[in-house]
Amino acid sequence: KLLYERYSDFLLNDPKTGKPREERLYEPAWASKNLIVADKDYYVFFPEILDDYADYKDFFTGNDIPNLHVFFVKDTEDINKEIKSDYFTNSRTEFRKLCLALRHIHETEKISWREMAVSIPDIDTYLPYIERDLSLYAIPYVVRSGRKVTGINAGSIFTCVKNVADEDFSYDSMRALLTNSFVPWKHENLNEELVREGANRKCIINYEKNGRPVDVWAESLKYVKNIQVSEWYSVIRKWVKSLSEAKDFKTLRQAWFTGRNQLFDFESLPEDSECNLVLGHCLDQLEELVNLEEKYKVSVSKPFAFFVNELDNAVYQPQNKTAGVNIFKYKVSATASFKYQFVVDANQSNLSVMNSQ
């Protein structure tokens, strides 16, 4: 205890002057807090499904607190219920068997799609493959788990642009940007020609010659017969530069809308399309940064990199207007009243609980 008090004092106060440090090294999260207020009753249902339950297990099980009421999964589940398991040599076979099982239950037992659930531990990796197989077997589904904004959707355009800027228009980063099909490009044919010409003319990466930067794309495209390809590259390059070199979030917002009008055809998409919804969420994040910047008169050295980093940490859950098999992240549906539940990719690594204490 003495060591804790002295170390806390060291983090809070300058040992030479005894005055509070300007940098305030003390992190409040390190100190344990009283989570229970005496004049309130607390009801906690199924704390075991929380990722960090191991850190708070003693709190929930070892304390006799009159106004804390905890309901554990073991108190509600049928311990005599048989849990069937199958073993597969690869994920492809497992997902196929899953689809066959879902369809068999639906057709033979007349169980509604919405009364079945699938849990996926590594949902970021395997969700696209499960969605593909469910679609192939004409099985309706609803994803009940939020997705990363910059994941496999329209938000990835920002990550692609950042990679192009960071890698100085390398061929790989340009190809990833130009082949991003989650946004409606105005001239996909010019994108395809750019990728093809970049490969044929070995536009691997820009370089310096005699101290001067050489844009391999611009130099190579001079010899392309279709002048529109060179002009299209110039528009894309200018847009990427305007985003990556924006001095503040307001300028970044303006650069996005300028490129949006020049490069994309969002008018061709329905307003409620996933592309528009995801990008709308991204722009809401940008608008918040613009407001904070103007309100508190603060700035960051690289606004675009900061913005993309914020998007990397953001999760988006669209509103589902359809019904079908429910797809969850592992443990979320543990106590839900579905008639059938499946857990895929249930290996030792994915089902292990890490104790960080």
Side-chain angles (χ1 to χ4, degrees), residues 197 201 218-226:
E197 292 295 342
R201 299 177 184 276
E219 293 296 324
S220 300
L221 294 175
K222 290 179 181 179
Y223 306 100
V224 177
K225 292 182 179 180
N226 187 355

Side-chain angles (χ1 to χ4, degrees), residues 107-123:
E107 294 176 351
T108 59
E109 301 184 29
K110 307 303 178 184
I111 300 294
S112 170
W113 296 118
R114 69 178 65 191
E115 294 181 285
M116 294 182 280
V118 177
S119 296
I120 314 172
D122 190 3
I123 193 167

Side-chain angles (χ1 to χ4, degrees), residues 120-129 145-148 152 329:
I120 314 172
D122 190 3
I123 193 167
D124 293 333
T125 300
Y126 291 108
L127 180 59
Y129 303 102
S145 175
R147 308 189 191 191
K148 288 186 177 181
I152 309 176
K329 189 175 181 180

Side-chain angles (χ1 to χ4, degrees), residues 221-347:
L221 294 175
K222 290 179 181 179
Y223 306 100
V224 177
K225 292 182 179 180
N226 187 355
I227 192 174
Q228 287 183 315
V229 177
S230 178
E231 293 174 347
W232 185 242
Y233 168 72
S234 298
V235 174
I236 293 175
R237 178 181 175 80
K238 183 178 179 181
W239 178 60
V240 171
K241 286 286 188 181
S242 66
L243 289 173
S244 61
E245 297 176 359
K247 302 300 182 183
D248 51 51
F249 294 116
K250 187 175 182 179
T251 306
L252 175 60
R253 179 181 60 185
Q254 182 179 353
W256 163 257
F257 282 106
T258 299
R260 180 185 189 278
N261 297 331
Q262 294 176 329
L263 300 171
F264 306 108
D265 183 21
F266 287 103
E267 285 71 20
S268 63
L269 299 177
E271 290 187 5
D272 60 348
S273 65
E274 183 179 12
C275 176
N276 279 328
L277 293 175
V278 171
L279 287 178
H281 182 74
C282 295
L283 295 178
D284 287 342
Q285 297 264 18
L286 179 57
E287 193 65 32
E288 289 183 11
L289 293 174
V290 172
N291 294 335
L292 289 172
E293 185 178 55
E294 293 178 347
K295 181 177 180 180
Y296 296 102
K297 308 299 180 184
V298 295
S299 61
V300 297
S301 58
K302 296 181 179 180
F304 184 61
F306 185 93
F307 171 57
V308 174
N309 182 66
E310 287 296 298
L311 293 182
D312 286 337
N313 298 322
V315 176
Y316 174 69
Q317 174 61 59
Q319 292 184 348
N320 297 300
K321 298 181 180 180
T322 58
V325 176
N326 300 275
I327 300 179
F328 295 94
K329 189 175 181 180
Y330 178 56
K331 295 192 297 184
V332 174
S333 65
T335 57
S337 58
F338 294 107
K339 292 187 177 179
Y340 284 90
Q341 294 208 44
F342 298 84
V343 180
V344 299
D345 194 35
N347 56 55

